[in-house]
Amino acid sequence: AEEVEARELGRVRVVGKAVPIRVYELLCRKGRLTEDWQRALVLYRRGLDLFNKRDFSGARDAFGEVLKVIPDDPPSKLYFNASSDYAQIPPDPQTWDGVFNLTAK
């Protein structure tokens, strides 16, 4: 892991398993991130942290900033949309754990 740049995509629960796993995306070899990605990655990590802390407005703003730098980033779009929705109608704190549940293998 010390030789590559990666980012956490989130926690997912696969079909048939109760315990979620963290999923990461390999971005590039260590030290080869573009300037745009260096900026975006800091914002992305902040957004993910805020999302997991249920600060959905803050997360939406952070992912919005990522999308200004990397407009076609699918994970940031997903989190931006989810954060926007949750900022308006928060998920039930009793059942929401921030985990994406996969429904098919």
Side-chain angles (χ1 to χ4, degrees):
E2 295 177 9
E3 297 176 9
V4 297
E5 298 284 355
R7 67 173 167 174
E8 181 180 338
L9 293 178
R11 294 177 301 144
V12 298
R13 188 175 290 115
V14 297
V15 176
K17 301 290 181 185
V19 178
I21 59 169
R22 292 192 188 280
V23 176
Y24 293 85
E25 176 185 26
L26 176 66
L27 297 172
C28 65
R29 289 187 179 272
K30 189 67 108 182
R32 293 193 180 173
L33 281 177
T34 64
E35 284 185 37
D36 282 349
W37 265 108
Q38 288 175 32
R39 262 193 345 263
L41 199 52
V42 170
L43 296 164
Y44 177 88
R45 288 179 176 148
R46 181 172 1 130
L48 188 60
D49 182 55
L50 291 169
F51 184 86
N52 288 324
K53 290 178 179 173
R54 298 179 55 91
D55 179 350
F56 301 117
S57 294
R60 178 195 58 219
D61 293 346
F63 289 115
E65 290 298 314
V66 174
L67 292 169
K68 289 180 185 176
V69 180
I70 311 288
D72 294 325
D73 183 45
S76 293
K77 286 180 182 180
L78 175 100
Y79 278 112
F80 177 83
N81 291 331
S83 297
S84 296
D85 291 345
Y86 288 158
Q88 291 184 4
I89 303 171
D92 183 346
Q94 300 296 320
T95 58
W96 187 82
D97 59 5
V99 175
F100 292 95
N101 293 302
L102 300 181
T103 56
K105 289 187 179 185

